[in-house]
Amino acid sequence: MNRVGAYIHIPFCEKKCYYCDFAAFPNLEKWIEPYVENLIKEIRLYRERMDVIIDSIYIGGGTPSYIDSKFIEKIIGEVYKFKHDIKEFTIEANPKSLDMEKLKIYRDLGINRVSLGVQSFDNEVLKNIGRNHTSQIAIRDIEMIREAGFTNLSFDLMLNLPGQDFSSVKRDLDMVKKLKPNHISWYSLILDKGSKFYALDKQGKLSLMDDDLEVDIFSYLIDELEKVGLHRYEVSNFAKKGFESFHNKKYWNQEGYLGLGIAAAGYLSNLRYNNTPNLAIYDKMLKANKLPIINKDFIDKNENEKEYIIFKLRESEGIDLSEFKNRYGVDFLKKYARQISKFRDDGFFEIDSAIRFTKKGMSLSNEFFVEII
């Protein structure tokens, strides 16, 4: 029986941040209960049509911790009607949206990992990006998460934010060393269309870091995080040994996962699908007992191979050459000899029984991926 993950999207939040282009809706309390009822219908439709084992759950958003915990209980109660053997169960949360009662309910539901959207410990930077919490609130919530009994804590932190400089980033790093999370996602700002920052940038009103400075800062972070046991295992992800994200590895290893909720994406047996990002359409389709899928793409062998290369090279372990040959029936080093030779002399790769990016190669990986695509 196939083992799959489940991604569940909760699109509600208190305030939409300036960099956000996700399906997230602030102050739409009247939609929360009907949305949850529709989400439960969607889960039931999958359960009626599929016989799988759920082995990981990731509740993302939006801000899942923004909604009343009784709704999380209802949703998870329905998911648990699948056969399940949960290895990792993550909920995203933002500082200021948690309390001890919620955390204890999460823990009792089987949630064993909290991913907290800290973004920065610099209050001025937090204000610049539209966050509604302070560094002090984030630290308080981290302490509360641990007090509630969670032993697997991840932070999200960001680089290249307006008002952020090397000194600010070093202060963030100092807080990481002090607070000792099990996992960190430390990623650079992306100006996604639909976000406030995208519009400001188009108007020339957004001042960001020089590209070379950003690369230098991130290189420094990689070295410093390694010293405290946070090993880089993917381009933007660092973890203590044994705390790498089980669920996220499903995406990178092309394993199956259900996408539940508006704007969620799923991947099952080489079929990738996307749900509608529109709340009204989501409501209409589920009221008609239809899955809210608006797009399906069958991933053929050629596309699967290219995606596999990109996903695996994003991980520090790289591509196992024997595994690649068993999977696709070709020698990776021979098939892609031209692309590899173009970058190998520049120090992009280490090659033994696997091929992996060096630190330099990881920073410039998109240049190689363009050649593959």
Side-chain angles (χ1 to χ4, degrees):
M1 189 177 295
N2 286 341
R3 302 174 76 89
V4 301
Y7 172 80
I8 302 168
H9 192 73
I10 305 297
F12 306 102
C13 55
E14 183 177 348
K15 181 183 179 185
K16 193 157 185 173
C17 304
Y18 301 158
Y19 54 82
C20 179
D21 77 325
F22 299 147
F25 310 108
N27 301 313
L28 275 186
E29 274 69 20
K30 67 178 182 180
W31 273 93
I32 294 176
E33 187 163 6
Y35 177 80
V36 169
E37 293 305 315
N38 281 326
L39 187 53
I40 287 170
K41 285 182 190 175
E42 184 183 4
I43 295 166
R44 285 175 184 162
L45 287 173
Y46 276 105
R47 202 173 65 249
E48 289 166 5
R49 302 175 190 194
M50 298 181 66
D51 191 15
V52 295
I53 296 172
I54 304 290
D55 64 359
S56 70
I57 304 173
Y58 192 106
I59 307 179
T63 305
S65 53
Y66 174 70
I67 69 173
D68 194 297
S69 54
K70 69 181 181 183
F71 295 121
I72 301 295
E73 286 184 278
K74 282 186 175 182
I75 294 163
I76 298 313
E78 201 63 39
V79 174
Y80 279 166
K81 292 177 184 176
F82 276 97
K83 295 183 181 74
H84 58 277
D85 176 24
I86 308 300
K87 307 298 183 187
E88 181 184 273
F89 187 166
T90 302
I91 189 166
E92 289 184 348
N94 276 337
K96 201 182 173 184
S97 66
L98 291 169
D99 57 46
M100 186 57 76
E101 183 182 359
K102 272 185 184 177
L103 287 166
K104 287 181 177 178
I105 289 170
Y106 295 164
R107 188 194 60 203
D108 292 345
L109 283 170
I111 295 173
N112 56 23
R113 183 173 183 267
V114 178
S115 179
L116 192 69
V118 175
Q119 316 312 359
S120 174
F121 288 100
D122 184 317
N123 286 337
E124 191 62 31
V125 171
L126 289 170
K127 183 179 177 182
N128 290 344
I129 64 176
R131 299 294 280 179
N132 63 354
H133 73 270
T134 63
S135 173
Q136 292 75 19
I137 290 171
I139 293 166
R140 178 203 69 191
D141 285 0
I142 288 163
E143 292 170 348
M144 184 167 56
I145 289 165
R146 287 190 164 135
E147 187 182 340
F150 290 93
T151 57
N152 191 349
L153 171 65
S154 178
F155 302 165
D156 278 359
L157 291 167
M158 294 179 71
L159 186 62
N160 194 20
L161 297 173
Q164 195 178 49
D165 57 18
F166 208 159
S167 295
S168 173
V169 175
K170 284 181 177 178
R171 289 193 294 274
D172 285 347
L173 179 63
D174 287 342
M175 287 305 304
V176 169
K177 291 177 179 179
K178 181 178 178 181
L179 295 167
K180 300 178 181 178
N182 309 94
H183 183 284
I184 289 182
S185 296
W186 206 326
Y187 53 97
S188 291
L189 173 67
I190 297 174
L191 298 173
D192 287 314
K193 193 171 183 179
S195 68
K196 182 174 180 177
F197 276 169
Y198 180 88
L200 289 173
D201 186 62
K202 288 296 180 185
Q203 297 166 24
K205 296 179 179 178
L206 199 63
S207 178
L208 302 175
M209 286 180 186
D210 173 80
D211 288 346
D212 290 339
L213 175 61
E214 183 182 359
V215 169
D216 289 344
I217 292 175
F218 197 61
S219 178
Y220 170 80
L221 289 174
I222 293 165
D223 292 341
E224 290 298 309
L225 291 171
E226 180 71 29
K227 291 176 185 176
V228 294
L230 286 163
H231 309 291
R232 188 189 199 189
Y233 73 100
E234 193 269 347
V235 172
S236 302
N237 286 279
F238 305 80
K240 292 181 179 177
K241 189 173 181 180
F243 287 93
E244 299 86 357
S245 174
F246 178 84
H247 182 86
N248 286 347
K249 280 195 164 190
K250 285 186 175 291
Y251 304 149
W252 307 327
N253 292 333
Q254 296 176 310
E255 298 171 10
Y257 53 92
L258 297 173
L260 304 163
I262 72 161
Y267 184 77
L268 299 165
S269 301
N270 287 328
L271 182 72
R272 181 173 292 112
Y273 67 87
N274 296 88
N275 283 351
T276 176
N278 185 293
L279 271 174
I281 294 173
Y282 182 79
D283 180 68
K284 182 178 180 181
M285 292 180 76
L286 281 158
K287 276 188 167 57
N289 285 318
K290 295 179 181 178
L291 288 173
I293 296 170
I294 58 166
N295 185 56
K296 295 180 182 178
D297 288 310
F298 177 76
I299 310 302
D300 63 23
K301 185 178 179 181
N302 182 55
E303 190 173 353
N304 182 285
E305 181 180 322
K306 290 177 179 177
E307 288 190 359
Y308 181 82
I309 292 168
I310 291 170
F311 286 142
K312 293 306 290 181
L313 284 177
R314 285 182 60 89
E315 295 185 86
S316 58
E317 65 187 20
I319 297 170
D320 182 297
L321 296 173
S322 295
E323 183 180 333
F324 186 88
K325 190 168 186 177
N326 290 337
R327 187 170 180 136
Y328 297 106
V330 293
D331 186 312
F332 180 86
L333 298 181
K334 288 181 180 178
K335 181 170 182 178
Y336 295 100
R338 179 187 62 81
Q339 293 93 332
I340 293 167
S341 64
K342 186 172 179 179
F343 295 96
R344 189 174 187 176
D345 291 343
D346 290 331
F348 267 49
F349 294 112
E350 294 174 350
I351 303 175
D352 39 49
S353 61
I355 180 169
R356 67 189 70 83
F357 280 129
T358 60
K359 186 178 173 184
K360 176 184 177 181
M362 194 77 86
S363 297
L364 301 169
S365 57
N366 285 342
E367 293 182 24
F368 178 75
F369 294 151
V370 167
E371 295 288 328
I372 292 291
I373 295 169

